[in-house]
């Protein structure tokens, strides 16, 4: 069964303290891996798509990487406004997205 | 702003009732997806439509149904509501149905009393 596991469940960082979020997946025929950010009371906001192992994408303080078994979302020098839940999802050969349960990130000033 | 509009934002109703949730996709997007998000679970895929036709189904209950209209807006109908149906319901849309980033609305919060 296709599955996505994210770790840690929650992460508390001091402002400026860099860290990484992990997304490990088991999927039959990975077609794409997606990262989203979700703020309380809002829908998930699309961040990145990665399609093949070795691919990397960057946006401001965020950098996503992909291997054959997992993806990392690296956060460099985070700010309080980066506080959110970060969701990882994979698409298989059925077009639907399979989501992990997310990592709740809190960044303190 | 993702461009996906969902109404209403909040809905409070009683067990046994029926409700309709509405979604307008981003301009130009042909595919619409519905998800359920409850406190103890992540986003669960319910159903997908592409250009008016049902394309994929997830773990959608028989009490739930959906459709996509010619103007591409979509409605999710929930009937014989139970307490366990209380959740956030999200709509997402994408340009094409396959392997595309999906853009989400801000959801409808459904509370069953």
């Amino acid at each position: 069964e296709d599955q996505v596991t994210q770790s840690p469940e929650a992460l508390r960082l001091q402002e400026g303290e860099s860290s990484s979020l992990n997304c490990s997946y088991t999927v039959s025929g990975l077609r794409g891996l997606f990262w989203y950010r979700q703020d309380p009371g809002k829908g998930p906001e699309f961040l990145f798509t990665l399609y093949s192992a070795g691919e990397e994408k960057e946006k401001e303080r965020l950098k996503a990487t992909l291997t054959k078994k997992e993806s990392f979302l690296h956060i460099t020098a985070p700010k309080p406004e980066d506080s959110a839940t970060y969701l990882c999802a994979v698409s298989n050969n059925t077009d639907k997205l399979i989501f992990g349960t997310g990592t709740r990130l809190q960044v303190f000033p | 702003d993702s461009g996906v509009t969902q109404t209403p934002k909040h809905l409070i109703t009683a067990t046994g009732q029926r409700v309709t949730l509405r979604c307008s996709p981003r301009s130009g997007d042909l595919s619409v997806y519905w998800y359920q998000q409850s406190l103890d679970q992540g986003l669960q895929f319910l159903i997908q439509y592409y250009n008016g036709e049902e394309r994929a189904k997830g773990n959608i209950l028989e009490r739930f149904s959906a459709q996509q209209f010619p103007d591409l807006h979509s409605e999710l109908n929930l009937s014989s509501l139970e307490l366990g149906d209380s959740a956030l319901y999200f709509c997402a849309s994408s340009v094409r149905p396959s392997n595309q980033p999906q853009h989400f609305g801000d959801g409808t919060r459904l509370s069953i009393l």
Side-chain angles (χ1 to χ4, degrees), chain B residues 36-79:
Chain B
Q36 180 189 59
Q37 187 178 44
S38 46
L39 279 175
D40 56 347
Q41 293 189 5
L43 278 160
Q44 301 292 317
F45 169 73
L46 296 177
I47 197 164
Q48 177 196 7
Y49 282 82
Y50 174 62
N51 209 17
E53 300 289 327
E54 181 185 304
R55 182 167 170 102
K57 253 183 175 178
N59 296 325
I60 187 167
L61 299 172
E62 285 191 11
R63 301 183 285 108
F64 296 1
S65 64
Q67 54 184 328
Q68 186 180 27
F69 294 88
D71 67 353
L72 301 177
H73 91 271
S74 179
E75 293 182 355
L76 178 67
N77 300 295
L78 314 176
S79 61

Side-chain angles (χ1 to χ4, degrees), chain B residues 7-108:
Chain B
T7 57
K9 291 191 183 305
H10 303 279
L11 203 46
I12 302 174
T13 189
T15 55
Q17 296 297 304
R18 171 189 169 95
V19 296
T20 297
L21 313 183
R22 182 187 168 102
C23 169
S24 295
R26 286 190 326 163
S27 176
D29 285 358
L30 299 179
S31 199
V32 169
Y33 311 77
W34 286 97
Y35 291 85
Q36 180 189 59
Q37 187 178 44
S38 46
L39 279 175
D40 56 347
Q41 293 189 5
L43 278 160
Q44 301 292 317
F45 169 73
L46 296 177
I47 197 164
Q48 177 196 7
Y49 282 82
Y50 174 62
N51 209 17
E53 300 289 327
E54 181 185 304
R55 182 167 170 102
K57 253 183 175 178
N59 296 325
I60 187 167
L61 299 172
E62 285 191 11
R63 301 183 285 108
F64 296 1
S65 64
Q67 54 184 328
Q68 186 180 27
F69 294 88
D71 67 353
L72 301 177
H73 91 271
S74 179
E75 293 182 355
L76 178 67
N77 300 295
L78 314 176
S79 61
S80 303
L81 287 167
E82 302 175 358
L83 292 176
D85 297 329
S86 295
L88 268 168
Y89 291 84
F90 287 105
C91 169
S93 69
S94 65
V95 175
R96 293 184 299 277
S98 299
N99 207 26
Q100 295 290 309
Q102 295 176 21
H103 299 274
F104 285 75
D106 283 338
T108 293

Side-chain angles (χ1 to χ4, degrees), chain A residues 3-103:
Chain A
Q3 196 169 341
V4 176
T5 303
Q6 292 188 246
S7 62
E9 285 187 12
L11 183 62
R12 292 163 58 97
L13 297 175
Q14 201 73 30
E15 183 173 3
E17 180 187 0
S18 301
S19 188
S20 296
L21 282 54
N22 177 263
C23 170
S24 62
Y25 61 88
T26 305
V27 63
S28 52
L30 177 73
R31 300 184 67 183
L33 186 140
F34 302 81
W35 281 99
Y36 288 84
R37 168 193 171 126
Q38 186 174 21
D39 292 296
K42 297 287 189 180
E45 175 190 347
F46 171 70
L47 294 173
F48 303 110
T49 308
L50 301 167
Y51 290 107
S52 57
E55 190 175 358
E56 299 183 351
K57 293 270 179 76
E58 281 189 73
K59 180 181 178 180
E60 296 180 357
R61 295 177 293 282
L62 301 177
K63 179 180 176 180
T65 62
L66 180 64
T67 73
K68 288 186 178 179
K69 294 291 184 187
E70 58 191 349
S71 176
F72 292 94
L73 185 65
H74 307 279
I75 303 177
T76 302
K79 298 182 177 182
E81 52 263 41
D82 294 322
S83 298
T85 296
Y86 290 85
L87 299 169
C88 170
V90 297
S91 66
N92 57 17
N93 54 8
T94 65
D95 295 343
K96 67 180 184 181
L97 288 184
I98 301 156
F99 279 86
T101 51
T103 294

